[in-house]
Amino acid sequence: MNIVELKDIEREEGHIFYLRKYTANAVIELPTETSQIPISFSIETGPMGDKNINVKIRQTPNYPVLPLIAKLKTFILDKDKEGLLPQ
């Protein structure tokens, strides 16, 4: 399994500056197919600069969910470090 990209990323407006909420479509390359799965995720920045990422899959994929969420968290953290998520 490989995360190809996040498409249609939209940030939800909020008043808490250390919590950012997003919705997107994750393009996932599975062993048998490539599919788009709608997700929502949030990035919470702690007082020491550490980031906590929560991911919710809004449509059940044809793949085990726990490894998929772990891969998505790593992918989202990398994209955030590169500055590719909407601010």
Side-chain angles (χ1 to χ4, degrees):
M1 185 228 0
N2 189 24
I3 310 295
V4 178
E5 67 175 320
L6 294 175
K7 295 175 86 175
D8 307 322
I9 303 172
E10 293 182 14
R11 182 173 179 192
E12 297 176 17
E13 292 299 320
H15 298 288
I16 303 173
F17 69 92
Y18 58 86
L19 180 64
R20 295 179 285 154
K21 295 181 181 180
Y22 298 91
T23 58
N25 290 318
V27 179
I28 300 170
E29 193 176 85
L30 301 172
T32 58
E33 65 182 356
T34 301
S35 62
Q36 284 192 27
I37 299 171
I39 64 168
S40 59
F41 62 95
S42 64
I43 303 172
E44 183 177 1
T45 305
M48 302 302 280
D50 54 320
K51 296 192 178 185
N52 183 19
I53 299 173
N54 293 316
V55 177
K56 290 184 183 177
I57 297 176
R58 299 186 306 183
Q59 178 184 341
T60 307
N62 190 16
Y63 195 80
V65 176
L66 290 178
L68 179 60
I69 288 176
K71 280 267 198 174
L72 280 168
K73 285 182 178 184
T74 304
F75 188 82
I76 290 167
L77 185 60
D78 290 342
K79 293 300 173 189
D80 187 49
K81 285 180 182 176
E82 294 171 10
L84 298 176
L85 294 178
Q87 296 295 320

Short mmCIF file of all heavy atoms in Angstrom, two decimals, residues 28-84:
data_model
loop_
_atom_site.label_atom_id
_atom_site.label_comp_id
_atom_site.label_asym_id
_atom_site.label_seq_id
_atom_site.Cartn_x
_atom_site.Cartn_y
_atom_site.Cartn_z
N ILE A 28 -4.97 6.31 -2.86
CA ILE A 28 -4.22 5.21 -2.27
C ILE A 28 -4.02 4.12 -3.30
O ILE A 28 -4.96 3.70 -3.97
CB ILE A 28 -4.98 4.66 -1.04
CG1 ILE A 28 -5.13 5.78 -0.01
CG2 ILE A 28 -4.26 3.47 -0.46
CD1 ILE A 28 -6.04 5.45 1.11
N GLU A 29 -2.77 3.70 -3.40
CA GLU A 29 -2.42 2.61 -4.32
C GLU A 29 -2.41 1.31 -3.53
O GLU A 29 -1.52 1.07 -2.72
CB GLU A 29 -1.04 2.91 -4.91
CG GLU A 29 -0.67 2.06 -6.08
CD GLU A 29 0.66 2.51 -6.63
OE1 GLU A 29 1.70 2.05 -6.10
OE2 GLU A 29 0.67 3.33 -7.56
N LEU A 30 -3.42 0.50 -3.76
CA LEU A 30 -3.54 -0.80 -3.09
C LEU A 30 -2.95 -1.88 -3.99
O LEU A 30 -2.71 -1.64 -5.17
CB LEU A 30 -5.01 -1.08 -2.79
CG LEU A 30 -5.71 -0.06 -1.89
CD1 LEU A 30 -7.20 -0.34 -1.82
CD2 LEU A 30 -5.11 -0.05 -0.52
N PRO A 31 -2.74 -3.08 -3.48
CA PRO A 31 -2.17 -4.14 -4.31
C PRO A 31 -3.00 -4.47 -5.55
O PRO A 31 -2.45 -4.86 -6.58
CB PRO A 31 -2.10 -5.34 -3.37
CG PRO A 31 -2.05 -4.76 -2.01
CD PRO A 31 -2.84 -3.49 -2.08
N THR A 32 -4.30 -4.29 -5.48
CA THR A 32 -5.16 -4.66 -6.61
C THR A 32 -5.70 -3.48 -7.39
O THR A 32 -6.15 -3.64 -8.52
CB THR A 32 -6.37 -5.49 -6.12
OG1 THR A 32 -7.08 -4.72 -5.15
CG2 THR A 32 -5.91 -6.80 -5.51
N GLU A 33 -5.68 -2.27 -6.81
CA GLU A 33 -6.28 -1.11 -7.48
C GLU A 33 -5.77 0.19 -6.86
O GLU A 33 -5.11 0.19 -5.83
CB GLU A 33 -7.80 -1.15 -7.34
CG GLU A 33 -8.26 -1.02 -5.90
CD GLU A 33 -9.76 -1.10 -5.73
OE1 GLU A 33 -10.48 -1.20 -6.73
OE2 GLU A 33 -10.21 -1.07 -4.58
N THR A 34 -6.09 1.29 -7.52
CA THR A 34 -5.85 2.62 -6.98
C THR A 34 -7.21 3.23 -6.71
O THR A 34 -8.07 3.24 -7.58
CB THR A 34 -5.06 3.49 -7.98
OG1 THR A 34 -3.81 2.85 -8.25
CG2 THR A 34 -4.80 4.87 -7.42
N SER A 35 -7.40 3.74 -5.49
CA SER A 35 -8.72 4.27 -5.15
C SER A 35 -8.59 5.59 -4.40
O SER A 35 -7.54 5.91 -3.85
CB SER A 35 -9.51 3.27 -4.32
OG SER A 35 -8.85 3.01 -3.11
N GLN A 36 -9.70 6.35 -4.40
CA GLN A 36 -9.78 7.60 -3.64
C GLN A 36 -10.69 7.36 -2.46
O GLN A 36 -11.80 6.86 -2.61
CB GLN A 36 -10.37 8.72 -4.50
CG GLN A 36 -9.41 9.27 -5.50
CD GLN A 36 -9.94 10.56 -6.12
OE1 GLN A 36 -10.73 11.27 -5.50
NE2 GLN A 36 -9.51 10.84 -7.32
N ILE A 37 -10.22 7.75 -1.28
CA ILE A 37 -10.99 7.56 -0.06
C ILE A 37 -11.15 8.92 0.61
O ILE A 37 -10.16 9.59 0.88
CB ILE A 37 -10.28 6.58 0.88
CG1 ILE A 37 -10.14 5.23 0.21
CG2 ILE A 37 -11.03 6.45 2.19
CD1 ILE A 37 -9.28 4.25 0.95
N PRO A 38 -12.39 9.34 0.89
CA PRO A 38 -12.58 10.61 1.59
C PRO A 38 -12.15 10.50 3.05
O PRO A 38 -12.47 9.52 3.73
CB PRO A 38 -14.09 10.87 1.48
CG PRO A 38 -14.70 9.57 1.16
CD PRO A 38 -13.66 8.72 0.52
N ILE A 39 -11.38 11.48 3.49
CA ILE A 39 -10.88 11.50 4.88
C ILE A 39 -11.08 12.89 5.47
O ILE A 39 -11.27 13.87 4.74
CB ILE A 39 -9.39 11.11 4.97
CG1 ILE A 39 -8.51 12.13 4.24
CG2 ILE A 39 -9.14 9.71 4.46
CD1 ILE A 39 -7.03 11.99 4.52
N SER A 40 -11.02 12.96 6.78
CA SER A 40 -10.89 14.23 7.47
C SER A 40 -9.76 14.06 8.48
O SER A 40 -9.56 12.97 9.00
CB SER A 40 -12.21 14.63 8.16
OG SER A 40 -12.60 13.65 9.08
N PHE A 41 -9.02 15.12 8.70
CA PHE A 41 -7.90 15.03 9.64
C PHE A 41 -7.68 16.37 10.31
O PHE A 41 -8.12 17.42 9.82
CB PHE A 41 -6.62 14.53 8.95
CG PHE A 41 -6.09 15.41 7.86
CD1 PHE A 41 -5.10 16.35 8.11
CD2 PHE A 41 -6.54 15.27 6.55
CE1 PHE A 41 -4.59 17.14 7.10
CE2 PHE A 41 -6.03 16.06 5.53
CZ PHE A 41 -5.06 17.00 5.81
N SER A 42 -7.02 16.31 11.45
CA SER A 42 -6.68 17.53 12.18
C SER A 42 -5.23 17.45 12.63
O SER A 42 -4.70 16.37 12.87
CB SER A 42 -7.60 17.72 13.39
OG SER A 42 -7.41 16.69 14.31
N ILE A 43 -4.62 18.62 12.71
CA ILE A 43 -3.24 18.74 13.18
C ILE A 43 -3.27 19.68 14.37
O ILE A 43 -3.64 20.85 14.25
CB ILE A 43 -2.30 19.28 12.09
CG1 ILE A 43 -2.35 18.40 10.86
CG2 ILE A 43 -0.88 19.42 12.63
CD1 ILE A 43 -1.60 18.95 9.67
N GLU A 44 -2.89 19.15 15.54
CA GLU A 44 -2.86 19.95 16.76
C GLU A 44 -1.41 20.15 17.18
O GLU A 44 -0.67 19.17 17.35
CB GLU A 44 -3.64 19.26 17.88
CG GLU A 44 -3.69 20.05 19.15
CD GLU A 44 -4.54 19.38 20.22
OE1 GLU A 44 -5.07 18.28 19.99
OE2 GLU A 44 -4.65 19.97 21.30
N THR A 45 -1.00 21.39 17.32
CA THR A 45 0.36 21.71 17.71
C THR A 45 0.40 21.90 19.22
O THR A 45 -0.33 22.72 19.77
CB THR A 45 0.86 22.98 17.01
OG1 THR A 45 0.72 22.81 15.59
CG2 THR A 45 2.32 23.24 17.33
N GLY A 46 1.26 21.13 19.88
CA GLY A 46 1.39 21.20 21.34
C GLY A 46 2.24 22.38 21.76
O GLY A 46 2.86 23.06 20.94
N PRO A 47 2.34 22.64 23.06
CA PRO A 47 3.10 23.80 23.57
C PRO A 47 4.60 23.70 23.31
O PRO A 47 5.29 24.71 23.28
CB PRO A 47 2.80 23.80 25.07
CG PRO A 47 2.27 22.45 25.38
CD PRO A 47 1.68 21.90 24.13
N MET A 48 5.10 22.49 23.10
CA MET A 48 6.53 22.32 22.83
C MET A 48 6.82 22.18 21.33
O MET A 48 7.94 21.87 20.93
CB MET A 48 7.07 21.10 23.56
CG MET A 48 6.86 21.16 25.07
SD MET A 48 7.63 22.61 25.81
CE MET A 48 9.31 22.06 25.89
N GLY A 49 5.81 22.39 20.48
CA GLY A 49 5.99 22.31 19.04
C GLY A 49 5.73 20.94 18.46
O GLY A 49 5.82 20.77 17.26
N ASP A 50 5.39 19.97 19.29
CA ASP A 50 5.09 18.63 18.78
C ASP A 50 3.71 18.66 18.11
O ASP A 50 2.86 19.46 18.46
CB ASP A 50 5.11 17.60 19.91
CG ASP A 50 4.21 17.99 21.06
OD1 ASP A 50 4.17 19.19 21.40
OD2 ASP A 50 3.54 17.10 21.62
N LYS A 51 3.51 17.78 17.13
CA LYS A 51 2.26 17.77 16.38
C LYS A 51 1.55 16.44 16.58
O LYS A 51 2.15 15.37 16.46
CB LYS A 51 2.54 18.02 14.90
CG LYS A 51 3.10 19.41 14.71
CD LYS A 51 3.12 19.83 13.29
CE LYS A 51 3.67 21.25 13.26
NZ LYS A 51 3.63 21.83 11.98
N ASN A 52 0.26 16.53 16.87
CA ASN A 52 -0.59 15.36 17.04
C ASN A 52 -1.58 15.35 15.88
O ASN A 52 -2.33 16.30 15.69
CB ASN A 52 -1.32 15.44 18.39
CG ASN A 52 -2.15 14.21 18.65
OD1 ASN A 52 -1.95 13.17 18.04
ND2 ASN A 52 -3.10 14.33 19.56
N ILE A 53 -1.59 14.26 15.11
CA ILE A 53 -2.45 14.16 13.93
C ILE A 53 -3.52 13.11 14.18
O ILE A 53 -3.21 11.99 14.59
CB ILE A 53 -1.61 13.79 12.69
CG1 ILE A 53 -0.57 14.87 12.43
CG2 ILE A 53 -2.51 13.60 11.47
CD1 ILE A 53 0.40 14.57 11.36
N ASN A 54 -4.77 13.50 13.95
CA ASN A 54 -5.90 12.58 14.05
C ASN A 54 -6.51 12.43 12.66
O ASN A 54 -6.75 13.44 11.98
CB ASN A 54 -6.97 13.12 15.01
CG ASN A 54 -6.48 13.13 16.43
OD1 ASN A 54 -5.86 12.17 16.88
ND2 ASN A 54 -6.73 14.21 17.13
N VAL A 55 -6.76 11.19 12.24
CA VAL A 55 -7.31 10.91 10.92
C VAL A 55 -8.60 10.12 11.07
O VAL A 55 -8.65 9.15 11.84
CB VAL A 55 -6.30 10.11 10.06
CG1 VAL A 55 -6.90 9.76 8.71
CG2 VAL A 55 -5.01 10.87 9.88
N LYS A 56 -9.63 10.52 10.33
CA LYS A 56 -10.88 9.77 10.27
C LYS A 56 -11.14 9.40 8.81
O LYS A 56 -11.11 10.27 7.93
CB LYS A 56 -12.05 10.60 10.79
CG LYS A 56 -12.01 10.82 12.27
CD LYS A 56 -13.25 11.55 12.74
CE LYS A 56 -13.15 11.82 14.23
NZ LYS A 56 -14.30 12.59 14.70
N ILE A 57 -11.37 8.14 8.57
CA ILE A 57 -11.70 7.66 7.23
C ILE A 57 -13.22 7.65 7.12
O ILE A 57 -13.89 7.00 7.91
CB ILE A 57 -11.10 6.27 6.98
CG1 ILE A 57 -9.58 6.36 7.06
CG2 ILE A 57 -11.55 5.72 5.65
CD1 ILE A 57 -8.87 5.05 6.92
N ARG A 58 -13.75 8.39 6.13
CA ARG A 58 -15.19 8.54 6.03
C ARG A 58 -15.86 7.49 5.15
O ARG A 58 -17.07 7.44 5.08
CB ARG A 58 -15.53 9.94 5.52
CG ARG A 58 -15.01 11.01 6.48
CD ARG A 58 -15.43 12.38 6.11
NE ARG A 58 -15.06 12.68 4.73
CZ ARG A 58 -15.26 13.84 4.15
NH1 ARG A 58 -15.83 14.81 4.81
NH2 ARG A 58 -14.89 14.04 2.91
N GLN A 59 -15.06 6.67 4.48
CA GLN A 59 -15.60 5.57 3.67
C GLN A 59 -14.69 4.37 3.86
O GLN A 59 -13.48 4.48 3.71
CB GLN A 59 -15.63 5.97 2.20
CG GLN A 59 -16.12 4.89 1.27
CD GLN A 59 -16.03 5.33 -0.18
OE1 GLN A 59 -15.94 6.50 -0.47
NE2 GLN A 59 -16.04 4.38 -1.08
N THR A 60 -15.26 3.24 4.19
CA THR A 60 -14.45 2.06 4.49
C THR A 60 -13.76 1.54 3.23
O THR A 60 -14.42 1.21 2.25
CB THR A 60 -15.34 0.94 5.08
OG1 THR A 60 -16.06 1.48 6.19
CG2 THR A 60 -14.49 -0.23 5.54
N PRO A 61 -12.43 1.46 3.26
CA PRO A 61 -11.69 0.95 2.10
C PRO A 61 -11.63 -0.58 2.10
O PRO A 61 -11.97 -1.22 3.09
CB PRO A 61 -10.29 1.53 2.29
CG PRO A 61 -10.16 1.64 3.77
CD PRO A 61 -11.53 1.96 4.30
N ASN A 62 -11.18 -1.11 1.01
CA ASN A 62 -11.00 -2.56 0.89
C ASN A 62 -9.56 -2.90 1.31
O ASN A 62 -8.80 -3.50 0.55
CB ASN A 62 -11.27 -3.00 -0.55
CG ASN A 62 -11.34 -4.50 -0.69
OD1 ASN A 62 -11.47 -5.21 0.30
ND2 ASN A 62 -11.24 -4.98 -1.91
N TYR A 63 -9.21 -2.49 2.53
CA TYR A 63 -7.86 -2.67 3.05
C TYR A 63 -7.94 -2.50 4.57
O TYR A 63 -8.79 -1.77 5.06
CB TYR A 63 -6.91 -1.61 2.44
CG TYR A 63 -5.46 -1.92 2.63
CD1 TYR A 63 -4.80 -2.83 1.81
CD2 TYR A 63 -4.73 -1.31 3.65
CE1 TYR A 63 -3.46 -3.12 2.00
CE2 TYR A 63 -3.39 -1.59 3.84
CZ TYR A 63 -2.76 -2.50 3.01
OH TYR A 63 -1.44 -2.78 3.19
N PRO A 64 -7.06 -3.13 5.33
CA PRO A 64 -7.08 -2.94 6.80
C PRO A 64 -6.90 -1.46 7.18
O PRO A 64 -6.04 -0.77 6.64
CB PRO A 64 -5.90 -3.77 7.28
CG PRO A 64 -5.69 -4.79 6.21
CD PRO A 64 -6.08 -4.12 4.92
N VAL A 65 -7.69 -1.01 8.11
CA VAL A 65 -7.76 0.41 8.43
C VAL A 65 -6.57 0.90 9.27
O VAL A 65 -6.04 1.99 9.01
CB VAL A 65 -9.09 0.73 9.16
CG1 VAL A 65 -9.15 2.17 9.58
CG2 VAL A 65 -10.27 0.40 8.25
N LEU A 66 -6.11 0.14 10.24
CA LEU A 66 -5.04 0.62 11.12
C LEU A 66 -3.72 0.91 10.38
O LEU A 66 -3.13 1.97 10.60
CB LEU A 66 -4.81 -0.35 12.27
CG LEU A 66 -5.94 -0.40 13.31
CD1 LEU A 66 -5.63 -1.45 14.37
CD2 LEU A 66 -6.14 0.95 13.94
N PRO A 67 -3.24 0.03 9.50
CA PRO A 67 -2.01 0.39 8.76
C PRO A 67 -2.23 1.58 7.83
O PRO A 67 -1.33 2.39 7.63
CB PRO A 67 -1.67 -0.86 7.95
CG PRO A 67 -2.54 -1.95 8.44
CD PRO A 67 -3.65 -1.34 9.23
N LEU A 68 -3.45 1.70 7.31
CA LEU A 68 -3.77 2.82 6.42
C LEU A 68 -3.72 4.15 7.19
O LEU A 68 -3.13 5.13 6.71
CB LEU A 68 -5.15 2.61 5.80
CG LEU A 68 -5.65 3.69 4.86
CD1 LEU A 68 -4.71 3.86 3.69
CD2 LEU A 68 -7.04 3.34 4.38
N ILE A 69 -4.27 4.18 8.38
CA ILE A 69 -4.25 5.39 9.20
C ILE A 69 -2.81 5.76 9.58
O ILE A 69 -2.42 6.92 9.55
CB ILE A 69 -5.14 5.23 10.44
CG1 ILE A 69 -6.61 5.24 10.03
CG2 ILE A 69 -4.87 6.33 11.47
CD1 ILE A 69 -7.58 5.00 11.14
N ALA A 70 -2.00 4.77 9.92
CA ALA A 70 -0.60 5.03 10.27
C ALA A 70 0.15 5.64 9.09
O ALA A 70 0.91 6.61 9.26
CB ALA A 70 0.07 3.74 10.73
N LYS A 71 -0.06 5.11 7.89
CA LYS A 71 0.60 5.65 6.69
C LYS A 71 0.12 7.06 6.40
O LYS A 71 0.90 7.93 6.01
CB LYS A 71 0.33 4.76 5.48
CG LYS A 71 1.18 3.55 5.40
CD LYS A 71 2.38 3.86 4.56
CE LYS A 71 2.99 2.53 4.13
NZ LYS A 71 4.06 2.68 3.21
N LEU A 72 -1.19 7.29 6.56
CA LEU A 72 -1.75 8.62 6.31
C LEU A 72 -1.18 9.65 7.28
O LEU A 72 -0.86 10.77 6.87
CB LEU A 72 -3.28 8.59 6.41
CG LEU A 72 -4.02 8.06 5.20
CD1 LEU A 72 -5.48 7.80 5.54
CD2 LEU A 72 -3.91 9.02 4.04
N LYS A 73 -1.02 9.29 8.54
CA LYS A 73 -0.45 10.22 9.53
C LYS A 73 0.97 10.63 9.14
O LYS A 73 1.32 11.80 9.20
CB LYS A 73 -0.46 9.60 10.92
CG LYS A 73 -1.83 9.56 11.56
CD LYS A 73 -1.76 8.97 12.95
CE LYS A 73 -3.11 8.97 13.62
NZ LYS A 73 -3.06 8.49 15.01
N THR A 74 1.77 9.65 8.73
CA THR A 74 3.14 9.95 8.29
C THR A 74 3.14 10.83 7.06
O THR A 74 3.90 11.80 6.96
CB THR A 74 3.89 8.63 8.02
OG1 THR A 74 3.86 7.82 9.18
CG2 THR A 74 5.33 8.90 7.63
N PHE A 75 2.28 10.52 6.09
CA PHE A 75 2.19 11.29 4.85
C PHE A 75 1.76 12.73 5.13
O PHE A 75 2.34 13.68 4.60
CB PHE A 75 1.20 10.61 3.89
CG PHE A 75 1.17 11.19 2.52
CD1 PHE A 75 2.11 10.84 1.58
CD2 PHE A 75 0.19 12.11 2.17
CE1 PHE A 75 2.09 11.38 0.31
CE2 PHE A 75 0.15 12.65 0.91
CZ PHE A 75 1.09 12.29 -0.03
N ILE A 76 0.75 12.91 5.99
CA ILE A 76 0.25 14.25 6.32
C ILE A 76 1.33 15.05 7.06
O ILE A 76 1.52 16.23 6.76
CB ILE A 76 -1.04 14.13 7.17
CG1 ILE A 76 -2.18 13.60 6.30
CG2 ILE A 76 -1.41 15.47 7.80
CD1 ILE A 76 -3.41 13.15 7.07
N LEU A 77 2.04 14.43 7.98
CA LEU A 77 3.10 15.12 8.70
C LEU A 77 4.20 15.58 7.75
O LEU A 77 4.70 16.71 7.86
CB LEU A 77 3.68 14.22 9.79
CG LEU A 77 4.72 14.84 10.71
CD1 LEU A 77 4.13 16.04 11.45
CD2 LEU A 77 5.25 13.82 11.69
N ASP A 78 4.57 14.74 6.79
CA ASP A 78 5.57 15.12 5.80
C ASP A 78 5.11 16.30 4.95
O ASP A 78 5.87 17.23 4.69
CB ASP A 78 5.92 13.94 4.89
CG ASP A 78 6.69 12.85 5.62
OD1 ASP A 78 7.25 13.13 6.71
OD2 ASP A 78 6.73 11.71 5.10
N LYS A 79 3.85 16.28 4.51
CA LYS A 79 3.32 17.38 3.70
C LYS A 79 3.24 18.67 4.50
O LYS A 79 3.46 19.75 3.96
CB LYS A 79 1.93 17.02 3.14
CG LYS A 79 1.96 15.91 2.13
CD LYS A 79 2.83 16.28 0.95
CE LYS A 79 3.00 15.11 0.01
NZ LYS A 79 3.99 15.35 -1.02
N ASP A 80 2.94 18.56 5.79
CA ASP A 80 2.90 19.75 6.64
C ASP A 80 4.30 20.33 6.82
O ASP A 80 4.47 21.54 6.78
CB ASP A 80 2.27 19.39 8.00
CG ASP A 80 2.05 20.63 8.86
OD1 ASP A 80 1.49 21.62 8.35
OD2 ASP A 80 2.43 20.58 10.04
N LYS A 81 5.30 19.49 7.01
CA LYS A 81 6.69 19.96 7.16
C LYS A 81 7.16 20.63 5.88
O LYS A 81 7.95 21.58 5.93
CB LYS A 81 7.61 18.79 7.50
CG LYS A 81 7.49 18.33 8.94
CD LYS A 81 8.44 17.19 9.21
CE LYS A 81 8.28 16.69 10.63
NZ LYS A 81 9.13 15.52 10.91
N GLU A 82 6.70 20.15 4.72
CA GLU A 82 7.08 20.75 3.43
C GLU A 82 6.30 22.02 3.14
O GLU A 82 6.59 22.73 2.19
CB GLU A 82 6.85 19.73 2.31
CG GLU A 82 7.74 18.52 2.37
CD GLU A 82 7.36 17.43 1.37
OE1 GLU A 82 6.51 17.70 0.49
OE2 GLU A 82 7.90 16.33 1.48
N GLY A 83 5.27 22.31 3.94
CA GLY A 83 4.45 23.51 3.73
C GLY A 83 3.45 23.37 2.61
O GLY A 83 3.05 24.38 2.01
N LEU A 84 3.01 22.16 2.31
CA LEU A 84 2.10 21.94 1.20
C LEU A 84 0.63 21.85 1.59
O LEU A 84 -0.22 21.63 0.74
CB LEU A 84 2.51 20.64 0.47
CG LEU A 84 3.91 20.67 -0.14
CD1 LEU A 84 4.25 19.31 -0.75
CD2 LEU A 84 4.01 21.76 -1.19
#
